[in-house]
Amino acid sequence: MAQRMNRITPIAASVALTLGLAGCGSDNDGNTYVPPVESVTSSDDAQFNVEITGKAVKGAMKGAVVSVMTLDETGQSVPVAFRLEASAEAETFTGEATSQDAADAAVEASKIAGNPDALVTGDNGSYSIYLEDDFTGPVYITVTTAEEGDDSFLRCDAYIGCGTYDDAPEADDVNDGDTNIEFGEWYKADLELSVVKYVAAAEADSSDTSGAAGDANVARSFKANVTFLTTLVAQALLEAEGEVDADAIASTSLNTVFQVFGPDAAVLLSALIGDLSNGGAVDLSDVDGEESLSQGVLMIAQLSSSVQGLPSISDTIASIKAGIAAGTLSTTDIAATLQTAVSSTASVFVAIATGDEDAIKAALEAAYLANNPNASAADIATFAENSAGIAAKAKEAKDNAVKNGAATDAELAELAGTVQEALEELGCTGDECVAGDDFFADLAVALSAQIDASSTELTALQTSIDTAEEMLADVQEMGGAVTDAATAIEFVAAVAALENEAEAADLSTATNKVYVQAQSYVSTASLLVAQSSDYQGILDTAIDLQDAALEEVENVSTYDLALAQLVLDAEAAITEYEIEVEAAKEIALNTADVADEKKAAADTAEAASTSALADAQAAVDSGDDAQATVELVDAAVTAASDFSAAVDALELAIEQALEAATEYEAVAVTEADMAEAADLVESAEMMAEAAETQAELANEQLVTALSLQAEADLAVATASVKETSESLSTMTVLTSTGGDALYDTAEVLFDVFEELADMGNSGEGTSTTHPEWAYDYSLDDLTLMLTNSTTGSMITASAAYQDNQLVVAWGGMLTTESDATVELVTGDVAADALEECQAFADGTITDSTQIDSCLVFTFDGAVNADTVDDAELTMAQAWNRVEIEDGDSDFMGTLNLSGMEETDMAMLELAGMSGDLDFSVMSEVDSSGDEDMTMLEIKVNGDAAMGYTLSMSGTESAGYMGDVKAMYDGMMMTFGTATKVTNGVSITYIDDEVIDYTDVTLIDSSN
């Protein structure tokens, strides 16, 4: 009865009742006959133990109204029965009507009538609902805040703010009392976010499970976060007006992610892309640690934060939704606005994760200017004045995220850079927006890595849980052995210690995070399997992880219940043996000892961090071994992060010690006890002050280590750029060898063609313009062979007149004055090679990589053998597959030339391999002025080369200047300035080292 497709709505129930009363009639005498009404009774037992829980975040939406519906086969929302608490026992619902269908409808209506009158989110945007135990189908949830009329609020987690208040609120812990809605402040706004979650049918063998997500009354548990992205997905699903299942949600989620983030960034969302509701509900102003800050989660959070900083969230959502629906999001005005906002957010987050408050302040002010190009001087000054306070809030939010276990400092610094790079170019166009086999292969690799990481994390958690359970068993045994006050005190103190350790470990949150992650993995793995059964192994692994994680969730739940019982037993023992003071004293002394232990651990971590930082600083200052320096700096970052974590653990231990000491002080009776308790309180307070100072030091060391890391990474990158420059300087491709050989040969070939046009149809001889070349030709079939008796060079050519072009398929072996050889690769069959060149010349073949060596002469009109001698040459072009051999600097690739008489332009393009180096060269000469203007660009491909690009331009009289660039930190960065010098190139690098690369003649296309 509880499945969605069998639901009977209250409307259906009333219709059925109406039809049941339509059987009245009359006899021939006009007497009304009322037949006896047959009543049908229906009943159903239902338990509400399918949990749907999540958060509504844009930042956090608190006090927001939550609406819960399901979707029918046409995608229309209809009521669904739900409760706010899981059922401990089954409820019985009955209905009575004149037909079975109407009675069944009445039963369903009575279930829905029992829905709560109101449901609102908690302070962090959280909500929980419970559906019937056999429910399956889509659940449509909306969360709404209002500008007026209720107690709903939206928290601003946009770093540059969320607009202004109509009336400034009173200053408090959150609001500073001005009219600007700043980062971390609550405000009123009209906003509706939504999510569609598919609840799968329960497995047949799930009846023996003890519950999910830690509640014995919960049979199945699902995460359904409500975010900006889930809203886009939900609205697309509803507008499609079709049946919604898990596959529909997955495909719509995938399309949304592609359109918004683009295919490259989409891979980073591997854990969530199959169902975006499983994660990403992170309020950057208050990260509670319930969700790990992974790459995908941070991307979603930063996107959402950026949207909140725009003038209208609802209008932005509508514009983005329209762009996605049309498949043109990347070309819309909102895309450009969003890109600016997201890039700014990512830059600010990098500063938050890696810098101090001054660095954050600078990043905030830059972000404000980028997003408000028309801001007045007064507005800019006002933001600058407030930016220090915002920076402090942002820094505190990051520190709390680390303390709450969302990520370590080192992890966050690395994630910030990765996410910034991923968000530099949002969206996609054309075929990029379609997920192909390559994307799914990359997705599978990324997902497998995520599953492996979570499996490792779960293994560590299992060890911690086993240890906790052993400790629990020991304390339970102590409880069973209590016989007097002394053993009772020992037992009570052991329970308190166990409570404190459980608080520090927070195994419930940790296991739940892995369980929810595993559910996400299953969704994405299912999406992969829908594409190909080859991915079934990944799905099986994800399901195994989900099952194992759920088992540990239940183990921790059992542990927590047992610990809660021990606490009750301890309270009973205190009462029974009247040991309130003695127990409080023992607990206070024990927690003070633990705090001392944590202090010693923090001091050890501080010493390790200080030493590692000194080693790293020395290595950076020396600049000797870049790679070794990186290793030392990475060790310093890790040590500083460990130091910070040790201080966090210390602060919690101090907090527990202070609480225990305060409780001891409150119950102390004797002067001795009161004095001892007061000393413990004072000691804890002093320790807390010292820990605060130590925390500041840990943060300073982390910022310094991260700064050194950036400096060391840049040094390694610079060394790589220098190495690439050195490799290029030794290559034939940087000399004029190949280019000059082809220019000279093309000139010879054209001159000989002109000579032969006035001669007989065939013959042999020596060129009059180039006497070193002998020829053998046939004008009937336009073939030519040239040989150079001096160098041993040889050229073969087959030609054809084609409208205003003379097309030549040519090949041969050229020997240069420097004894280098240049082979022009051509087809084995001359006729076939010429046919390919003709097809390329007329545009039938558009890809130059599909042909061998071709030469095309273009004239000012149609030409043939009779008119070519009188025609004017307007352009000469050559596309050549070449192999150059010059000692150790061999080259294989393509060398394309073109010269245009009308514009006095000459161009050269070269691309290929020399040894292990994959590169391309573009050279252009403009001879239209008084002096040739030359431009040269050399690119080196491959990960190691980092997109190396050497660019130069200039004239002979003014000199040739340029720069060397390469990819660094996700963007092209200038690593040095280049100048052409006599017999080479001189490059001044960013580390102030000047290196001259001599005996290098740059390709000159001025010929």
Side-chain angles (χ1 to χ4, degrees):
M1 288 295 296
Q3 293 188 1
R4 174 179 58 78
M5 58 287 298
N6 293 331
R7 294 283 185 196
I8 302 176
T9 67
I11 295 176
S14 63
V15 170
L17 183 59
T18 301
L19 292 175
L21 296 176
C24 300
S26 62
D27 59 17
N28 292 333
D29 295 330
N31 297 318
T32 301
Y33 169 70
V34 180
V37 178
E38 295 184 2
S39 178
V40 177
T41 301
S42 180
S43 66
D44 188 24
D45 291 338
Q47 280 188 271
F48 295 85
N49 53 18
V50 174
E51 181 183 52
I52 308 290
T53 184
K55 291 180 183 175
V57 173
K58 177 72 238 56
M61 303 172 71
K62 76 171 179 179
V65 177
V66 181
S67 169
V68 184
M69 306 287 278
T70 186
L71 301 176
D72 63 17
E73 290 82 354
T74 64
Q76 298 299 307
S77 59
V78 295
V80 65
F82 70 96
R83 300 293 183 266
L84 298 184
E85 293 182 359
S87 301
E89 298 178 353
E91 298 179 59
T92 300
F93 298 89
T94 60
E96 186 174 351
T98 58
S99 70
Q100 186 64 55
D101 287 346
D104 291 344
V107 170
E108 296 305 317
S110 66
K111 292 179 184 178
I112 294 172
N115 286 356
D117 294 333
L119 171 59
V120 296
T121 58
D123 287 349
N124 63 349
S126 61
Y127 76 94
S128 293
I129 61 167
Y130 299 87
L131 304 173
E132 286 186 67
D133 55 358
D134 61 349
F135 179 89
T136 179
V139 184
Y140 174 50
I141 297 170
T142 62
V143 182
T144 307
T145 58
E147 189 169 0
E148 297 179 354
D150 62 15
D151 293 328
S152 62
F153 286 89
L154 191 62
R155 182 157 49 201
C156 177
D157 73 342
Y159 294 121
I160 61 172
C162 301
T164 58
Y165 299 104
D166 290 337
D167 298 306
E170 293 184 7
D172 54 28
D173 292 339
V174 176
N175 299 290
D176 58 10
D178 64 19
T179 57
N180 297 309
I181 303 172
E182 296 169 354
F183 180 75
E185 295 185 352
W186 293 100
Y187 66 104
K188 299 284 290 178
D190 292 325
L191 178 65
E192 179 180 286
L193 299 184
S194 56
V195 64
V196 175
K197 182 75 178 185
Y198 187 79
V199 176
E203 296 182 5
D205 60 352
S206 64
S207 58
D208 59 348
T209 60
S210 61
D215 188 335
N217 293 327
V218 176
R220 291 176 289 153
S221 182
F222 298 87
K223 183 70 69 177
N225 290 314
V226 187
T227 66
F228 165 67
L229 280 181
T230 66
T231 302
L232 295 176
V233 173
Q235 292 183 2
L237 288 167
L238 266 66
E239 291 181 3
E241 297 183 345
E243 186 168 2
V244 176
D245 56 15
D247 290 341
I249 293 174
S251 62
T252 306
S253 297
L254 178 61
N255 179 61
T256 300
V257 169
F258 257 61
Q259 292 275 343
V260 174
F261 290 108
D264 293 336
V267 174
L268 299 183
L269 280 161
S270 59
L272 299 172
I273 205 166
D275 184 352
L276 294 168
S277 71
N278 282 320
V282 172
D283 178 348
L284 291 177
S285 68
D286 186 17
V287 183
D288 55 21
E290 291 183 10
E291 190 169 357
S292 296
L293 290 180
S294 64
Q295 294 173 345
V297 169
L298 264 182
M299 285 171 59
I300 293 174
Q302 290 188 24
L303 175 72
S304 180
S305 167
S306 302
V307 169
Q308 193 175 15
L310 299 179
S312 170
I313 302 173
S314 297
D315 289 349
T316 299
I317 292 175
S319 297
I320 293 174
K321 182 186 72 172
I324 293 174
T328 58
L329 176 60
S330 63
T331 63
T332 61
D333 291 340
I334 190 62
T337 302
L338 186 62
Q339 181 68 74
T340 300
V342 170
S343 296
S344 298
T345 299
S347 296
V348 173
F349 193 85
V350 168
I352 293 169
T354 62
D356 56 16
E357 289 185 19
D358 288 339
I360 301 171
K361 182 178 186 296
L364 284 167
E365 292 172 10
Y368 180 81
L369 290 175
N371 285 272
N372 299 278
N374 299 319
S376 66
D379 289 340
I380 295 172
T382 298
F383 186 84
E385 183 179 349
N386 294 336
S387 60
I390 301 171
K393 287 183 181 179
K395 174 68 169 55
E396 183 181 6
K398 188 273 290 188
D399 291 342
N400 287 335
V402 172
K403 287 182 179 181
N404 292 332
T408 66
D409 281 305
E411 289 170 344
L412 210 54
E414 182 177 356
L415 285 170
T418 301
V419 171
Q420 181 185 35
E421 182 178 348
L423 295 178
E424 279 182 352
E425 186 175 351
L426 298 175
C428 59
T429 57
D431 293 341
E432 292 178 344
C433 298
V434 179
D437 293 341
D438 289 345
F439 169 77
F440 287 112
D442 292 342
L443 183 65
V445 171
L447 181 62
S448 296
Q450 294 264 9
I451 294 173
D452 289 344
S454 292
S455 296
T456 300
E457 183 180 355
L458 182 61
T459 299
L461 279 173
Q462 287 169 331
T463 300
S464 297
I465 293 169
D466 289 343
T467 301
E469 288 174 338
E470 291 173 1
M471 296 172 63
L472 177 75
D474 291 342
V475 177
Q476 287 173 326
E477 185 176 351
M478 291 176 62
V482 170
T483 56
D484 53 26
T487 54
I489 293 171
E490 183 182 3
F491 168 64
V492 171
V495 171
L498 201 59
E499 270 193 293
N500 287 342
E501 291 191 16
E503 180 184 6
D506 197 8
L507 294 174
S508 178
T509 298
T511 52
N512 269 294
K513 281 199 291 190
V514 176
Y515 176 56
V516 173
Q517 287 171 350
Q519 288 180 311
S520 300
Y521 302 156
V522 170
S523 295
T524 302
S526 299
L527 175 64
L528 286 169
V529 171
Q531 302 302 314
S532 172
S533 58
D534 292 344
Y535 299 119
Q536 183 62 46
I538 298 177
L539 177 57
D540 293 341
T541 304
I543 291 173
D544 289 343
L545 175 64
Q546 178 181 261
D547 293 342
L550 178 57
E551 182 178 349
E552 296 309 321
V553 167
E554 293 171 349
N555 287 340
V556 171
S557 176
T558 301
Y559 171 87
D560 288 342
L561 289 173
L563 179 57
Q565 183 58 52
L566 280 177
V567 171
L568 294 176
D569 294 343
E571 292 173 352
I574 290 173
T575 301
E576 179 179 356
Y577 292 99
E578 299 180 349
I579 54 171
E580 184 178 22
V581 176
E582 294 84 350
K585 175 181 179 178
E586 187 70 14
I587 293 171
L589 291 172
N590 289 347
T591 53
D593 289 342
V594 171
D596 288 340
E597 293 172 4
K598 298 297 183 183
K599 173 60 176 172
D603 289 345
T604 299
E606 178 183 341
S609 177
T610 303
S611 175
L613 190 59
D615 292 341
Q617 184 70 68
V620 169
D621 291 342
S622 70
D624 293 337
D625 187 334
Q627 193 57 51
T629 299
V630 167
E631 293 174 2
L632 287 172
V633 171
D634 287 346
V637 171
T638 300
S641 187
D642 290 344
F643 177 25
S644 180
V647 174
D648 288 343
L650 169 61
E651 288 180 326
L652 176 59
I654 293 171
E655 181 182 327
Q656 292 171 340
L658 181 58
E659 180 181 357
T662 302
E663 291 178 357
Y664 176 29
E665 188 177 40
V667 299
V669 176
T670 67
E671 290 186 4
D673 285 341
M674 287 189 287
E676 183 178 42
D679 288 343
L680 289 173
V681 169
E682 183 180 5
S683 176
E685 290 174 342
M686 292 176 62
M687 189 177 288
E689 291 180 7
E692 185 175 346
T693 301
Q694 202 167 26
E696 292 174 358
L697 176 61
N699 181 70
E700 290 173 5
Q701 291 193 347
L702 178 65
V703 170
T704 302
L706 290 171
S707 176
L708 290 175
Q709 187 180 54
E711 191 174 344
D713 288 342
L714 182 58
V716 169
T718 304
S720 176
V721 169
K722 292 176 182 177
E723 184 177 348
T724 304
S725 295
E726 185 65 35
S727 298
L728 286 174
S729 71
T730 62
M731 285 186 199
T732 300
V733 297
L734 281 181
T735 72
S736 59
T737 301
D740 286 348
L742 291 180
Y743 278 120
D744 293 343
T745 304
E747 182 181 8
V748 169
L749 198 61
F750 182 71
D751 290 344
V752 173
F753 269 127
E754 282 191 315
E755 286 183 44
L756 300 180
D758 296 328
M759 299 175 67
N761 289 341
S762 64
E764 299 178 2
T766 301
S767 169
T768 57
T769 54
H770 302 282
E772 71 275 18
W773 288 93
Y775 58 78
D776 184 350
Y777 76 98
S778 170
L779 292 181
D780 292 331
D781 51 13
L782 290 180
T783 59
L784 171 67
M785 176 177 288
L786 293 172
T787 56
N788 188 314
S789 58
T790 303
T791 64
S793 299
M794 181 184 69
I795 305 171
T796 62
S798 298
Y801 292 105
Q802 185 166 279
D803 193 22
N804 66 331
Q805 295 177 326
L806 174 61
V807 180
V808 184
W810 64 334
M813 185 71 71
L814 313 176
T815 303
T816 68
E817 294 179 359
S818 60
D819 292 329
T821 60
V822 180
E823 179 183 357
L824 301 178
V825 179
T826 189
D828 294 334
V829 179
D832 293 342
L834 179 58
E835 185 177 348
E836 283 187 355
C837 289
Q838 288 179 284
F840 183 71
D842 67 19
T844 305
I845 297 176
T846 58
D847 185 356
S848 62
T849 63
Q850 297 180 27
I851 61 173
D852 290 321
S853 300
C854 300
L855 180 63
V856 179
F857 298 104
T858 303
F859 299 89
D860 59 351
V863 292
N864 54 39
D866 296 328
T867 62
V868 67
D869 193 37
D870 297 325
E872 182 178 346
L873 181 67
T874 60
M875 180 183 295
Q877 297 168 285
W879 294 268
N880 308 283
R881 193 177 303 279
V882 300
E883 294 182 18
I884 303 174
E885 297 180 8
D886 183 17
D888 296 329
S889 299
D890 297 343
F891 168 76
M892 182 178 294
T894 59
L895 182 54
N896 306 329
L897 314 172
S898 66
M900 292 167 282
E901 294 291 336
E902 293 179 353
T903 58
D904 291 324
M905 295 292 294
M907 287 173 285
L908 177 148
E909 295 178 354
L910 182 148
M913 298 288 298
S914 181
D916 295 330
L917 207 61
D918 179 7
F919 65 95
S920 63
V921 178
M922 171 75 76
S923 179
E924 182 176 304
V925 175
D926 182 355
S927 303
S928 60
D930 295 336
E931 189 176 6
D932 290 348
M933 169 64 73
T934 302
M935 290 171 284
L936 175 72
E937 182 178 81
I938 303 170
K939 292 183 177 181
V940 183
N941 304 313
D943 294 338
M946 307 185 312
Y948 178 104
T949 302
L950 169 62
S951 302
M952 297 188 71
S953 63
T955 63
E956 192 66 32
S957 62
Y960 300 88
M961 303 278 299
D963 56 31
V964 174
K965 293 183 178 181
M967 290 295 296
Y968 182 73
D969 250 359
M971 64 186 70
M972 288 299 290
M973 173 177 166
T974 299
F975 279 84
T977 56
T979 306
K980 183 181 178 182
V981 295
T982 303
N983 201 30
V985 180
S986 177
I987 300 178
T988 302
Y989 291 99
I990 55 175
D991 60 1
D992 296 328
E993 182 178 11
V994 179
I995 300 179
D996 292 334
Y997 302 95
T998 56
D999 297 326
V1000 176
T1001 303
L1002 300 176
I1003 290 176
D1004 182 6
S1005 55
S1006 63
N1007 296 333

